[in-house]
Amino acid sequence: MSTVFRLDASIKPEGSVTRAVSDTLENAIAAAGDTTVTRREIGLHPLPSDAWATAAFAGYVPADQRNEAQNAAVALATELADELASADVAIIAAPFYNWGVTQHLKTWFDLVLTDGRFSPGAAEKAGEGKTAFLVIARGGGYGEGTPRFGWDHASAWLKRVLEDVWGYDVTVIEAELTLAESTPAMAALVDLARKNLADAHAAAEQHGTAIAGKIAA
Ligand SMILES: Cc1cc2nc3c(=O)[nH]c(=O)nc-3n(C[C@H](O)[C@H](O)[C@H](O)COP(=O)(O)O)c2cc1C
């Protein structure tokens, strides 16, 4: 049986590209056999933005001396870390907003990093031997040679934490130019955008089937 943790962070209730591509990935995993999915929606239902600081400083206070807010923040961090730790496969749907990691996603990472299992000093990396899919959607294009090359300040950080700090085997599935359909100035890029999206769904399908087969083996 596959256990999947899925994190959604798009602020769009409709038409989210990261949700759509993650759906394809999740469905491909589920199609291959018995699958349990734990979901956490932080785009439409954000985590409290002050919980991280409270949880971080609660770490310096003996458990029996923490106040109510500290207990609540630590309990939230533990719940988030439990959700991630209990899964074989993590799907992190990461929309690209304002050239960086969205505050919602950053809060989730910051809280999970306060948990001993996922802290940088953990004796063992919690993601070791596990797979994480980073599903990214960017409205514009950021490849080498484009005017915005070097402006993507999210992808490398997300990969760094998942791969180097937590030890996951990370596969990135990404779609660019997602704003082309709705932005007149990007009309010339619509065909490329459609190809990017189709490629992202095809990659999601292929990787989903492959990881489910690997887990079942
Ligand atoms: C508030 C906001 C800010 C955005 N900022 C950027 C940006 O800085 N660069 C970019 O390429 N696209 C930007 N976009 C477009 C998103 O990257 C694009 O809509 C992508 O598909 C987001 O993933 P989602 O569809 O799952 O929400 C922004 C979109 C919104 C709503």
Side-chain angles (χ1 to χ4, degrees):
M1 186 179 81
S2 312
T3 52
V4 175
F5 167 69
R6 173 163 165 185
L7 183 72
D8 280 293
S10 175
I11 59 173
K12 285 191 263 177
E14 305 284 335
S16 158
V17 174
T18 52
R19 269 198 203 95
V21 175
S22 296
D23 282 347
T24 298
L25 177 59
E26 182 188 320
N27 291 340
I29 298 171
D34 203 6
T35 305
T36 303
V37 182
T38 300
R39 291 168 180 274
R40 175 62 67 165
E41 168 59 67
I42 57 168
L44 304 179
H45 305 290
L47 298 163
S49 60
D50 59 351
W52 165 59
T54 309
F57 286 118
Y60 298 101
V61 179
D64 60 351
Q65 290 171 34
R66 289 177 190 153
N67 62 30
E68 203 178 319
Q70 288 169 330
N71 282 329
V74 171
L76 176 59
T78 305
E79 187 183 343
L80 300 176
D82 283 348
E83 290 171 355
L84 180 60
S86 61
D88 305 316
V89 178
I91 300 174
I92 310 295
F96 185 60
Y97 302 137
N98 296 337
W99 314 284
V101 179
T102 74
Q103 54 143 328
H104 299 139
L105 205 47
K106 185 68 164 54
T107 297
W108 180 85
F109 273 93
D110 286 341
L111 275 163
V112 173
L113 280 159
T114 66
D115 185 278
R117 292 164 287 175
F118 290 93
S119 80
E124 286 175 17
K125 294 182 179 181
E128 208 75 65
K130 295 183 175 184
T131 297
F133 291 100
L134 192 48
V135 179
I136 296 173
R138 291 181 286 265
Y142 292 82
E144 208 165 344
T146 64
R148 288 286 183 266
F149 177 62
W151 284 54
D152 175 356
H153 299 288
S155 306
W157 183 87
L158 290 163
K159 198 158 179 266
R160 174 74 70 198
V161 178
L162 287 166
E163 202 165 61
D164 297 319
V165 182
W166 293 347
Y168 283 94
D169 181 5
V170 177
T171 295
V172 177
I173 299 172
E174 54 194 345
E176 280 205 328
L177 306 174
T178 66
L179 289 177
E181 301 269 3
S182 58
T183 307
M186 295 174 73
L189 297 167
V190 166
D191 285 348
L192 187 54
R194 288 180 185 166
K195 182 181 180 318
N196 273 346
L197 187 59
D199 287 350
H201 279 287
E205 176 93 42
Q206 185 196 329
H207 284 298
T209 305
I211 191 65
K214 198 172 151 192
I215 290 168

